[in-house]
Amino acid sequence: MFFPQFRARRIRGNGIFRRMVSETTLSVNDLVYPMFSAFGTGIKKEISSMPGIYQQSIENIVAESKEVRDLGIPAVLLFGIPESKDSVGSDAYSDTGIIQETIRAIKKDVPGLAVITDVCMCEYTDHGHCGIIKDGDVDNDSTLELLAREALSHVQAGADMVAPSDMMDGRVGAIREKLDEHGYDAIPIMSYAVKYASGYYGPFREAAESTPQFGDRRSYQMDPANRREALREAASDIEEGADIIMVKPGLPYLDILRDLRNEFELPLAVYNVSGEYSMVKGAAERGWIDEERVVLETMIAFKRAGADIIITYHAKDIAKWLGK
Ligand code: PBG
Ligand code: ZN
């Protein structure tokens, strides 16, 4: 049936009809808010390229966590900026590391908020790579044991879920095995299964102070040109025991998100990364775009493409807009 019998505008003609036929919804329950916890006290330092996002010491992280919970956002994703870094990222798996202390503080003072931790070495290594360096490159298999120890120490400190972001082969299996060995078989793993080597992480590296001191991450993160490979990456993480799989970055990779949605039954997360946030904020500050409208449209695009969970620096604003 085509025009004039069919008129698409009939069901678009008023707000009530549009509401009735809307195919996609966005809820505060879909959101995860990332935060950067810094060693020290009294710290609240705005990331210059990410307006509204801060490196903060633990007491300020706790205060913001309460705000996040009170907005109805179910979870935060934590990154740590340790007091000192070394070649093997010792702070990452230290019981008194920055993240471990932050987890304990949030779990003690902010009930009703889930704490997810980023599991990676790059915030803790002096060379800024996501694993142990051997012969000028990140060594896969020796990094696995450290990642497993890091994940375990997060969980021992009270983390509700761990999210490995390093892109080593076999890390989901290594972490699953380590957690199970210690009786943590109920703790889910949200795997950054499909993570591209992306220029969109630029502002994050300022926030997490994790810029590689030599080379780049292309020997472990994915080539933006590759689509079929994403299915293989996701399949292997699922095989190893991932409970949630993530695509990252978000907006430039909606096709990948849809591919994964069509292929797998697991919950799917998308990471709306720092560079995506900075672009929107920068344009909005100049009055070039309507921030609320553009952000909500972007979130609906993630949901439409198949995401169940959206990790975004806009989460607090979205929660406020949805609650209006
Ligand atoms: C650490 C990590 C990165 C991000 C999340 N975890 C940076 C990177 O891999 O270089 C990026 C998040 C963002 O840009 O918001 N491996
Ligand atoms: Zn990393």
Side-chain angles (χ1 to χ4, degrees):
M1 192 172 68
F2 297 104
F3 177 83
Q5 290 82 1
F6 171 67
R7 288 180 181 272
R9 293 182 56 187
R10 279 188 204 119
I11 54 160
R12 228 180 266 157
N14 67 61
I16 295 180
F17 287 173
R18 287 194 293 272
R19 197 145 58 85
M20 289 169 71
V21 300
S22 173
E23 298 177 31
T24 313
T25 54
L26 173 69
S27 148
V28 70
N29 296 324
D30 304 330
L31 306 174
V32 173
Y33 184 61
M35 291 200 293
F36 300 96
S37 180
F39 181 85
T41 47
I43 297 168
K44 185 162 179 167
K45 186 174 153 222
E46 193 168 38
I47 319 301
S48 62
S49 50
M50 300 177 74
I53 304 297
Y54 301 83
Q55 288 183 349
Q56 307 178 83
S57 45
I58 291 176
E59 78 284 13
N60 290 326
I61 289 277
V62 167
E64 191 177 21
S65 297
K66 287 183 182 155
E67 197 191 323
V68 170
R69 178 201 54 195
D70 294 345
L71 283 165
I73 297 166
V76 292
L77 175 63
L78 295 182
F79 297 91
I81 300 132
E83 181 180 23
S84 61
K85 309 192 184 208
D86 60 30
S87 66
V88 291
S90 306
D91 197 86
Y93 38 89
S94 156
D95 187 46
T96 53
I98 178 64
I99 280 297
Q100 290 79 359
E101 301 286 13
T102 308
I103 298 164
R104 278 191 282 266
I106 299 177
K107 290 316 292 182
K108 176 169 157 286
D109 290 343
V110 198
L113 181 73
V115 173
I116 309 173
T117 57
D118 184 85
V119 174
C120 201
M121 302 305 293
C122 57
E123 298 128 71
Y124 308 95
T125 51
D126 50 14
H127 46 73
H129 277 288
C130 303
I132 298 300
I133 301 294
K134 251 188 214 165
D135 304 325
D137 193 9
V138 173
D139 184 64
N140 195 86
D141 296 12
S142 57
T143 300
L144 296 182
E145 172 59 21
L146 298 188
L147 292 168
R149 279 172 65 186
E150 180 181 8
L152 176 63
S153 83
H154 292 178
V155 171
Q156 284 171 334
D160 299 293
M161 191 188 299
V162 290
S165 69
D166 52 284
M167 288 299 279
M168 297 305 120
D169 293 317
R171 91 272 205 217
V172 172
I175 291 170
R176 185 71 274 159
E177 194 182 330
K178 180 74 101 190
L179 294 182
D180 289 358
E181 253 172 46
H182 288 79
Y184 296 111
D185 50 34
I187 298 289
I189 299 175
M190 174 164 72
S191 173
Y192 289 68
V194 180
K195 178 174 176 183
Y196 288 93
S198 173
Y200 286 94
Y201 307 148
F204 172 94
R205 293 184 184 166
E206 178 197 334
E209 300 180 8
S210 65
T211 308
Q213 297 305 300
F214 64 90
D216 55 38
R217 302 209 206 287
R218 286 179 229 255
S219 79
Y220 42 105
Q221 298 179 349
M222 280 180 60
D223 181 345
N226 292 359
R227 180 174 175 189
R228 295 187 307 262
E229 192 185 353
L231 295 173
R232 295 207 49 173
E233 279 283 3
S236 71
D237 282 13
I238 293 168
E239 195 60 35
E240 289 174 34
D243 300 280
I244 301 172
I245 49 175
M246 191 199 301
V247 173
K248 177 182 175 199
L251 214 38
Y253 297 91
L254 291 181
D255 55 331
I256 308 297
L257 203 52
R258 173 45 59 183
D259 282 349
L260 263 56
R261 175 73 301 150
N262 291 345
E263 192 74 15
F264 303 109
E265 309 296 330
L266 259 61
L268 253 186
V270 63
Y271 200 139
N272 177 221
V273 302
S274 57
E276 299 174 63
Y277 177 84
S278 301
M279 292 193 303
V280 169
K281 288 302 237 191
E285 272 182 2
R286 285 163 185 75
W288 291 348
I289 56 168
D290 174 340
E291 180 175 357
E292 175 177 343
R293 188 167 174 185
V294 165
V295 170
L296 293 177
E297 183 176 334
T298 304
M299 299 303 133
I300 281 292
F302 291 140
K303 294 294 302 285
R304 194 188 63 234
D308 301 296
I309 297 170
I310 304 169
I311 301 162
T312 179
Y313 303 98
H314 297 289
K316 290 190 336 184
D317 287 333
I318 296 166
K320 289 173 198 160
W321 293 327
L322 292 178
K324 277 198 302 209

